[in-house]
Amino acid sequence: MTEISAYEQEREANIARNRALLEQLELKDAVATLGLPAKPKPAPKPKAKPVPAIKRVKRELAEEAPRRQSARLRKLEDEVDLNETPAKRRRRIAEAKERRKKEEEELVLAEEQAHSAKHPRAQDLDLTVLTSAEELGDEEMSALRGSLQAITNNSIPKGIGNVDAWVYENDKRGEREAEELSKRLRKMKVVSRAKVTQDRVYSAVYHPEPTKDLIFFGDKHGQLGVWDARAPAEEVADGDDDVTPTDGESGGKYWRLQQHWPATAKSSISSIRIDPIDSHSLYTTSYDCTVRQFSFVSGISHQIYSSSNALITSLELVSSGHEMWISDVSGGVTHLDLREGPSHSRWYGLSDQKIGSVSINPTSPHLILTASNNRSLKIWDTRKLDTLITQKHRDGGATLPPSSPPSSSSKLSSGPFEFDFERIQKFMESKKGNGALRGEHCPRKICHFGILGSQRSKYLWELDAGKYDSSPVFPALTPFSRIKHNCQTGRWLTLLRAVWNPNPDVYPHFTVGNMDHSLHIYSCKGELVAKLSDPERITATQAVTCSHPSVVERCATGNGSGRCVLWAPPDSE
């Protein structure tokens, strides 16, 4: 037997001593004898469930068209009776020819349908075609038509304010107006939620009907979501096909219309505008290079403009409702008179890079504002641009757009016309072009009209309305206010665009989303009048915002997954 070393003996002694000490203390038994209650675990915080999408019956897959076959394979399929008579043989050959002819016609038709499915639809589309992907039942289709007809009972023109309405010599009066506005806006809470569109929300607009909360959202794949946010909530089927009513927070009814085609990222709806004449229709622009008008009265979507080589980023309508300005990624803006049609359109190359948005001054519609990727903000006088038409024969500066048909060359006197960037620059240097560019500002980066922003800031301008016509060029275009705001949206989120409230009867303010999942509302002086958030119900950035043109305490927001939120006082009906 080997002897244990002194080190091992000392180690075993320490182990025995420690074991005896632990047994003597009896810590576990002592805690049990005292009867101390165990420390309760903190209760988990309740989390709001995501708004479930209404399950609708999906369309069955269409049967595949017959494939082409060689003559050898067709002969193998045709059973030949060796004892058939000449008459039967002639009949069999005739039937085979007729069958092959029918199969070829079906194949050609299937190829044409597959080809048309990948290109924009230029024809008129009714509600049946627009909702074909959703397979709406008779009751849902009737509810959609009823919601659209309800907003056509009254004609609601776009409100136009007075330029001096909210200009005060005393700053304290303006502060009181901002305080009263803040009290009203801070009462708004989340009152309704729904997954209105299938994909990421790109644009939104609020219908001005004061008795309804009808909001339109455009998504990444050309889908137009129609949300009646205060309509009775529909029942939702869960995973076990059990039908249960939605909770009080997830309210309203929504419908999805495929306004632009194909249903891919090439058809993203970049902007939506309500008809300023009577609010009985809306206009949408898309990356499929088209502008469409959807009538609430007839339920028909009609294409009014198309461009074959430039993606359309935004549009704005003159308050009269007969003219619109359209911006595109090639750095131009198009003036379209709806009474004349696209054959009389005029394209002006106002920038050497993409123009992300265009805006029209509501009180002086001859002034337009463009924001470009070359980090410039410019104010243009369209009356000066119109003089280019009178010079088209003299210097040959006007050319037909590439999208024009060859037959249009004989109608140069009536349009359409195209003035490229170089032609515009030469015109501005001439005597007749003096005053075409009324003002320019070139900071780091432009985010939206009248509100400029870098990744961390937004800026505001204030122009003297008395110099809209008296001065050929504004003395200075310098921002008077800087707002620190997080605009780092990244790749998978829609740009945070600041949107002015269209209500002219309330103190001017605008809404903008924030990366902290809240909705910020600022006054025209750059002061934060309200910050709306609900961490339990909202866990995504509200990138797209819009406000009710007639009711102050109404806002709607949308996020990157197509889920939308209505903000309003909880006790309002």
Side-chain angles (χ1 to χ4, degrees), residues 415-428:
F417 305 114
E418 178 179 300
F419 302 94
D420 57 18
F421 180 70
E422 295 181 358
R423 179 69 182 88
I424 296 296
Q425 295 301 311
K426 293 180 180 179
F427 173 72
M428 291 168 54

Side-chain angles (χ1 to χ4, degrees), residues 166-236:
W166 303 101
V167 179
Y168 304 114
E169 297 180 358
N170 189 355
D171 294 338
K172 293 184 178 180
R173 185 176 178 184
E175 294 177 358
R176 289 196 301 269
E177 293 286 349
E179 290 179 1
E180 293 179 2
L181 177 65
S182 178
K183 292 179 181 179
R184 300 177 65 179
L185 296 179
R186 288 179 180 177
K187 296 178 181 179
M188 295 193 298
K189 306 293 181 183
V190 177
V191 297
S192 185
R193 299 181 300 152
K195 183 172 172 55
V196 180
T197 60
Q198 190 67 34
D199 297 285
R200 185 201 309 178
V201 176
Y202 265 53
S203 54
V205 69
Y206 216 126
H207 193 272
E209 172 59 44
T211 61
K212 285 184 74 71
D213 292 296
L214 196 65
I215 309 110
F216 299 87
F217 294 91
D219 80 344
K220 181 180 179 180
H221 287 173
Q223 199 173 75
L224 179 66
V226 183
W227 187 27
D228 193 348
R230 291 300 185 93
E234 294 185 356
E235 294 180 340
V236 178

